[in-house]
Amino acid sequence: MAKIAAGLALIALLGCTARTCQAGYGYPTPVPSTPSTPSPPPPYTPSTPSPPPPTPATPSPPPPYTPSTPSPPPPTPATPTEGLAVGYYKKSCPRAEDIVREVVRDANAGIMAGLIRLFFHDCFVRGCDASVLLDQVDPNSPTEKFGIPNLSLRGFEVIDAAKARIEKECGSDVVSCADVVAFAGRDATYFLSNKKVYFDMPAGRYDGLVSFINETLPNLPPPFATVDQLKANFASKGLTADEMVTLSGAHTIGISHCSSFTSSFSDRLNPSTSDMDPTLMSSLREQCKSDTGTDNTVVQDIKTPNKVDNKYYKNVLSHEVLFSSDAALMMADDTSAAVRANAKDNGVWEEKFKEAMVRMGAIDVKTNLNGEIRRKCGVVNSH
């Protein structure tokens, strides 16, 4: 009975993080629709031959960006991960990363925020293998995409559009969907940071073969998690407490459903139990009111909601954050020290965020022995 009660509490909570629906978690909001295919933007000189993975190469500055948009600044070198390499598609599909960036560039800020979240949700369940993209084929076996935390995910149409353009230019069995998701998360960060946060993303991931709905809740940290639960969750993925705090900075963009922070399980708008700033609390009460029972959405960062920056940490310090999991970062000496350091220096946090994104992108990477290069991101090749 305890497990059933906990499950019901989770279902009553979950919220969102991008424009329209894309944050922490959320109620069963509409499954992402399929908008129009974006048009081209800038280039980059990506990778080496696809499967089998090549020997990691030394990160190099992104190539010239011929179109009107200026080329990205030289990326911060990151330690290549075993099995992955920077410039992986340099020979097999030279414009792969350019194409992804062009498609991402044409998306709106909400979809871009959704792409960063999509990358996170993919990597934290079964590793970075694009299992979050798989559609349900067996009526008795729903996939990750339909798990409660993922019902508000956005950006699927961007991944599909980028994959379609890549296939047209390089063939269907060259660039993995998992790498497209990783590149898209990187490029969304670049555009939402005003082109300040750019880094090389190693590639060479293979796509996973399975996806299960019941693996979402146990692996994705909820918006009411304690600091110890957050540390344990990230540690199980090979990430440190400092990297957990660093990646939490992604809450500086997008929106959230009110249900993520107002419930009997964790009511952030209850002044007797919450440390939220009274002015913000009053404002949220008004924004979350609904005569029809609609689960309204609000911005996560009241200062710079569409910009990747360190304002999130300043909001944590001033008690102007939505989730209990955000406020929980101040409940341990090491994480509170990390919050203060990130709030003090945006440049330091940007560098740490680049490294943490690369590290996250190396979680449980699939190889040609337990993965494939999907022809279509929504189904495994056998289907």
Side-chain angles (χ1 to χ4, degrees):
M1 287 301 294
K3 288 184 178 178
I4 294 174
L8 291 174
L10 278 171
I11 293 174
L13 241 187
L14 305 151
C16 206
T17 307
R19 288 290 164 202
T20 290
C21 185
Q22 147 221 327
Y25 288 114
Y27 272 142
T29 41
V31 177
S33 58
T34 309
S36 56
T37 303
S39 56
Y44 175 93
T45 308
S47 357
T48 23
S50 67
T55 305
T58 304
S60 54
Y65 190 67
T66 29
S68 56
T69 307
S71 68
T76 300
T79 304
T81 306
E82 186 176 354
L84 301 179
V86 171
Y88 187 85
Y89 298 106
K90 186 175 182 180
K91 293 181 181 177
S92 60
C93 189
R95 272 186 34 81
E97 292 187 52
D98 291 338
I99 290 171
V100 175
R101 185 176 300 113
E102 289 166 7
V103 176
V104 171
R105 187 191 65 176
D106 285 352
N108 63 41
I111 294 297
M112 288 185 192
L115 289 168
I116 297 173
R117 184 171 177 244
L118 185 66
F119 181 40
F120 175 86
H121 280 226
D122 182 38
C123 292
F124 264 56
V125 182
R126 293 196 156 264
C128 309
D129 65 350
S131 56
V132 72
L133 305 180
L134 287 174
D135 295 319
Q136 182 173 348
V137 176
D138 180 349
N140 298 313
S141 182
T143 59
E144 292 170 35
K145 184 184 286 189
F146 302 99
I148 291 170
N150 290 341
L151 290 172
S152 57
L153 286 177
R154 302 182 72 198
F156 293 97
E157 70 280 1
V158 173
I159 304 301
D160 289 341
K163 177 67 169 171
R165 285 186 53 190
I166 287 171
E167 288 186 356
K168 186 175 181 180
E169 188 162 317
C170 303
S172 60
D173 297 328
V174 178
V175 179
S176 71
C177 297
D179 280 340
V180 173
V181 171
F183 293 149
R186 181 268 309 273
D187 295 333
T189 302
Y190 169 64
F191 289 116
L192 288 175
S193 66
N194 240 353
K195 303 176 184 176
K196 290 178 63 182
V197 181
Y198 186 83
F199 52 96
D200 276 323
M201 177 60 78
R205 301 166 187 80
Y206 279 70
D207 299 321
L209 304 175
V210 295
S211 179
F212 303 108
I213 187 174
N214 61 2
E215 293 183 344
T216 55
L217 287 176
N219 285 287
L220 294 166
F224 49 81
T226 65
V227 68
D228 288 336
Q229 290 169 336
L230 289 170
K231 286 181 178 182
N233 179 274
F234 278 70
S236 71
K237 312 301 177 187
L239 299 172
T240 67
D242 187 66
E243 287 170 326
M244 178 270 287
V245 176
T246 298
L247 290 169
S248 294
H251 285 179
T252 189
I253 50 175
I255 65 176
S256 170
H257 281 297
C258 292
S259 61
S260 291
F261 54 88
T262 59
S263 77
S264 57
F265 194 67
S266 175
D267 189 357
R268 291 280 289 158
L269 301 187
N270 182 346
S272 65
T273 59
S274 173
D275 67 349
M276 184 182 287
D277 172 76
T279 302
L280 175 60
M281 186 182 293
S282 177
S283 172
L284 290 174
R285 279 206 198 97
E286 289 301 313
Q287 294 179 67
C288 291
K289 278 182 181 177
S290 172
D291 295 329
T292 61
T294 302
D295 189 8
N296 294 340
T297 56
V298 297
V299 296
Q300 291 202 132
D301 180 348
I302 61 173
K303 306 291 176 58
T304 55
N306 289 322
K307 184 179 179 183
V308 169
D309 57 23
N310 70 335
K311 291 291 191 303
Y312 164 78
Y313 300 101
K314 297 178 181 180
N315 293 342
V316 173
L317 293 174
S318 61
H319 304 283
E320 296 176 294
V321 285
L322 301 183
F323 306 140
S324 295
S325 58
D326 293 328
L329 298 181
M330 297 304 294
M331 302 305 290
D333 291 342
D334 55 347
T335 56
S336 62
V339 168
R340 291 188 179 91
N342 292 338
K344 184 178 181 180
D345 193 324
N346 189 57
V348 168
W349 173 73
E350 287 177 351
E351 290 304 312
K352 289 167 61 178
F353 191 74
K354 296 174 186 179
E355 294 173 9
M357 286 282 279
V358 171
R359 288 256 297 144
M360 183 174 72
I363 295 175
D364 193 19
V365 170
K366 304 296 184 293
T367 68
N368 60 332
L369 299 179
N370 61 352
E372 65 180 8
I373 305 297
R374 275 184 229 145
R375 289 186 285 275
K376 299 298 177 186
C377 291
V379 293
V380 294
N381 292 341
S382 58
H383 290 95

